Amino acid sequence: MRVAVGWLFLVALALAHTPGIRPIEPPPPPPPPPRPDGPVTPNGGAPPGLRDPDPDPPETPRPTGPPPPDSGGADPIPPQPTPPPAQPPENTPPPRSRAKSRTYTSWRVWWEYNREYLLGVRRTVRAGGTVTPTATDDPAAGAADRVFERAHARKVLAGITASVHEPKNLRGTTAMALGRIGNENDAEVLLRILRRGKAPSFVQIGAALGIGILPVESHAVRARIRKHLDELMRARNLRPHKVRGFLALAMGLRAGEDRGLAMDLVQHCQRARGQEEAANLVFACGISREPMLLGEILGAAKSGRLGRQRLGDVGRSHAATAAGLLRSPRAVALLVQVLRSRRARVQTRRSAALALGRLLREAPPTGEDLRAAKRAFVRALTKDSDAPLRAFAAIALGGAREPMALDELRRIVDKGGNPIVKPYAALALGLGARHAPHRDRDSIRAFLALEYKKAHDPELVSALGLACALAGAQAAQPLLLERAQKGAARARAAAAEALGLLGGNNPEVPKLLESLLKEGRPEAAGGAAMGLGLMGRRGASLLLLERLRKESSAVVQGRLVLALAHLGQVSSIAPLLEIVADKKRPEVVRELAAVAVGMIGDPRDEDRFLVLDAYTNYFATTEVTRAFLTIY
């Protein structure tokens, strides 16, 4: 799903692009040359991480440059098709313009990377006072219907994955979707692709991630998966570098339920060769969330080495992220030290701030560790010169629900002047309000509603509207209705999405969203589609499917498909499978439909891909981890 929202965000970015305004930092996925038949989008119009960034020469011959050199301790810069012009200093606010370009330090990038995690809180938001019915409880689909639909979907997805006549990017996507919706009987389909090693690299990547998240009950099948993954990782000369990275991630995803894979990961960490491979292995140890790997992670974070391999800045950043993912209070002192250090690289400090915020929320320290963490956060939030670090510190403190931090976040929203930090602080308040004491929660809701009314800048208006929805501020609903009808396109789209997240029984909300959906403007229609999906109204799937049949814009089609995924009705699987098989549809829409089928058909409550959530530094990535961050 991250790939879907990442792609749609970047398509919208291209549509709203204003010449002459450059991003403050290079984007996580590299932008390619413009497409002749549509807007500029990364990877030739596909979602980052969904389409193969390096097409196999027999299928799509085109010149490709050499891979980017290892950072060697420097901040990673993705390869660009042409040398970029000089960039302004990192913390320079973007130039003023009537239509501001979204910079890559913008809150919108963080929101799109973490949308699924953030929207996953909608049930908690509704528990605070709204009664919108959820559409996942589909009365028309009984248990037998669900079993039949999933079995049919598995058959279709497995057939496309194995077919050499389908586009390779679609095959890779269906392999990942099969991992979500399948069972242990589908393991052989995915393992066969990996064992043979003859499929295009992205098909192998999809199979690796599919096997990483495939639900397996049989001990024999688990043992077979472990055996093959370990053998494939040891065969260094038999597969592309990218595929090896995703095999490591597959081991990490499965290590939580198979400690043998965790021990295999330790051995591969000791044999790491190259900074990029070491960074990928550290990342895999983190997403395993296996406590036995804590020593390996803390050792890497302290020494800057994994086995005999020196870690670059990305590897150290991944080590900090992994320390937070493993949720051990033992990591607090180390992360505080990194956050306060002036010698540590800025990407590592950003990751340390987010990881420390995760620990404050999920494994709160006590005593001196807690006091040291609070002091480090206050200093980073109020005095640090790096604006993205201050923004990440705001998010971390909002999630930690510290009363002192909530007061500081209010001050930043009300009087802070930095245009990068201010939207993050607003969203952090929305996150913090959900678990704040009753009096503080009401106070924050009133404050956010008032700030939303006062704001005029489209970026801040958009962030405050979504923050009101995250906080459950029903008092903001009339103003959200008003701003969804007029104003800047991005603010209207955010207001429509916020109305859906906020829920409620106001009949004017679904009427407005339906009218925006039919309006025809891509950004507003996309926000309305997401709003309808988040509201969970029964019957909304019929409206979305009807619009999907008539819609010509690939951007809006993608939002409609994702809205159907959020509705979660099993009855939507069959129409979505028709889109997957429809060769007249744009290929990227077929891929998004496969993503939606995997989301709807996944029988598990826990989404394994959401292990990386709002506490992930998307600035510091390798080619492999950048793709993983944008998938699903």
Side-chain angles (χ1 to χ4, degrees):
M1 184 68 182
R2 291 175 184 271
V3 64
V5 294
W7 168 74
L8 288 166
F9 161 67
L10 286 160
V11 171
L13 169 62
L15 293 173
H17 180 68
T18 302
I21 299 178
R22 297 288 177 180
I24 291 177
E25 291 197 13
R35 299 177 68 194
D37 58 345
V40 180
T41 53
N43 301 327
L50 180 61
R51 284 184 174 270
D52 189 355
D54 296 316
D56 299 274
E59 296 196 21
T60 311
R62 72 175 186 184
T64 56
D70 197 279
S71 62
D75 294 342
I77 299 179
Q80 303 289 335
T82 57
Q87 302 288 330
E90 183 176 72
N91 298 322
T92 302
R96 295 183 180 274
S97 169
R98 289 185 179 181
K100 290 186 180 179
S101 171
R102 296 170 189 163
T103 66
Y104 283 92
T105 49
S106 167
W107 68 274
R108 288 184 179 272
V109 181
W110 176 83
W111 172 264
E112 295 294 340
Y113 267 90
N114 297 288
R115 179 192 296 270
E116 292 314 301
Y117 164 75
L118 294 166
L119 298 188
V121 306
R122 60 188 182 279
R123 293 182 181 176
T124 308
V125 171
R126 291 176 184 172
T130 60
V131 291
T132 303
T134 175
T136 53
D137 304 321
D138 188 355
D145 295 329
R146 293 187 179 93
V147 171
F148 173 79
E149 292 289 356
R150 286 173 180 146
H152 177 56
R154 286 174 49 219
K155 182 178 178 181
V156 172
L157 294 175
I160 293 175
T161 300
S163 173
V164 296
H165 302 294
E166 293 287 356
K168 62 180 182 180
N169 292 316
L170 178 63
R171 292 174 61 196
T173 309
T174 54
M176 287 182 263
L178 184 62
R180 295 188 76 130
I181 201 173
N183 58 35
E184 57 195 31
N185 296 323
D186 300 303
E188 189 56 36
V189 174
L190 301 172
L191 287 174
R192 188 183 304 120
I193 292 172
L194 294 171
R195 283 199 308 267
R196 291 180 178 177
K198 296 180 180 179
S201 60
F202 189 71
V203 180
Q204 295 185 57
I205 286 171
L209 284 182
I211 206 70
I213 60 174
L214 186 72
V216 176
E217 299 293 337
S218 167
H219 292 289
V221 177
R222 287 184 182 180
R224 188 161 73 250
I225 291 173
R226 176 191 171 188
K227 174 176 177 289
H228 286 302
L229 288 178
D230 187 51
E231 288 176 353
L232 292 167
M233 280 292 292
R234 291 174 185 274
R236 292 181 174 272
N237 299 323
L238 299 182
R239 54 195 62 256
H241 169 74
K242 286 184 301 182
V243 178
R244 284 181 48 76
F246 279 94
L247 287 170
L249 298 187
M251 295 180 74
L253 287 167
R254 298 209 68 87
E257 61 185 32
D258 186 344
R259 300 196 74 183
L261 274 171
M263 291 187 286
D264 292 343
L265 264 179
V266 172
Q267 294 180 15
H268 290 297
C269 286
Q270 296 300 320
R271 293 194 294 266
R273 296 180 186 174
Q275 291 187 0
E276 183 147 340
E277 179 174 321
N280 292 336
L281 285 164
V282 168
F283 195 80
C285 290
I287 63 177
S288 73
R289 291 203 151 183
E290 173 54 52
M292 69 176 292
L293 295 173
L294 180 64
E296 201 74 25
I297 295 300
L298 293 182
K302 289 177 182 177
S303 66
R305 291 184 174 275
L306 188 68
R308 297 182 179 180
Q309 177 60 52
R310 184 175 67 86
L311 292 173
D313 189 46
V314 177
R316 286 174 177 263
S317 296
H318 284 347
T321 299
L325 281 166
L326 294 179
R327 295 178 290 195
S328 172
R330 288 172 53 194
V332 171
L334 175 64
L335 293 172
V336 168
Q337 181 182 351
V338 173
L339 180 57
R340 294 177 61 90
S341 173
R342 295 187 179 184
R343 298 179 60 187
R345 299 300 295 267
V346 66
Q347 296 290 15
T348 311
R349 296 180 65 218
R350 292 172 184 173
S351 296
L354 291 167
L356 193 56
R358 184 195 296 276
L359 286 174
L360 288 178
R361 188 191 69 178
E362 298 180 357
T366 57
E368 183 56 33
D369 282 345
L370 178 59
R371 290 189 288 273
K374 288 181 180 179
R375 289 194 298 268
F377 267 127
V378 170
R379 181 180 180 277
L381 185 61
T382 59
K383 298 181 180 180
D384 205 277
S385 61
D386 180 58
L389 175 59
R390 291 172 59 197
F392 287 168
I395 290 296
L397 285 172
R401 306 183 290 275
E402 283 293 330
M404 175 190 66
L406 296 178
D407 291 339
E408 183 61 32
L409 292 173
R410 286 195 205 190
R411 187 194 65 77
I412 292 173
V413 173
D414 188 26
K415 299 178 181 179
N418 192 300
I420 295 175
V421 181
K422 208 168 184 177
Y424 280 93
L427 291 166
L429 275 175
L431 288 170
R434 291 183 294 108
H435 300 286
H438 183 74
R439 178 183 296 180
D440 291 341
R441 182 167 63 246
D442 291 344
S443 174
I444 292 171
R445 288 172 175 172
F447 171 79
L448 288 172
L450 179 62
E451 291 295 319
Y452 185 53
K453 184 177 181 178
K454 290 162 41 181
H456 298 288
D457 177 73
E459 291 299 310
L460 186 57
V461 167
S462 301
L464 282 166
L466 292 166
C468 287
L470 287 171
Q474 290 291 333
Q477 190 180 78
L479 192 56
L480 286 167
L481 283 165
E482 179 183 338
R483 288 195 158 165
Q485 298 177 64
K486 59 183 180 181
R490 66 191 70 174
R492 295 178 66 196
E497 192 168 334
L499 285 168
L501 179 59
L502 196 56
N505 290 322
N506 187 343
E508 295 300 318
V509 174
K511 289 181 182 178
L512 174 63
L513 295 179
E514 289 175 20
S515 67
L516 290 176
L517 187 62
K518 298 173 182 177
E519 187 178 285
R521 297 184 181 180
E523 193 156 7
M530 290 299 294
L532 284 169
L534 290 169
M535 283 197 74
R537 292 176 63 86
R538 297 189 178 104
S541 62
L542 297 177
L543 175 66
L544 294 171
L545 287 168
E546 180 184 357
R547 185 64 187 172
L548 188 55
R549 295 186 185 98
K550 301 176 181 178
E551 185 57 55
S552 58
S553 166
V555 177
V556 180
Q557 286 185 59
R559 286 291 190 198
L560 290 165
V561 167
L562 296 183
L564 288 167
H566 278 293
L567 279 167
Q569 293 187 340
V570 177
S571 57
S572 300
I573 289 181
L576 288 170
L577 286 173
E578 291 178 7
I579 294 173
V580 175
D582 185 0
K583 296 186 178 181
K584 295 181 180 179
R585 292 268 184 180
E587 186 183 330
V588 71
V589 176
R590 297 174 67 192
E591 295 163 6
L592 291 173
V595 170
V597 169
M599 288 183 65
I600 297 171
D602 193 340
R604 295 163 291 189
D605 293 331
E606 179 188 8
D607 190 336
R608 295 302 303 278
F609 280 110
L610 296 191
V611 68
L612 296 165
D613 49 27
Y615 296 91
T616 303
N617 179 7
Y618 53 81
F619 286 124
T621 59
T622 65
E623 180 185 9
V624 169
T625 55
R626 178 170 62 248
F628 182 78
L629 282 170
T630 54
I631 287 174
Y632 282 92

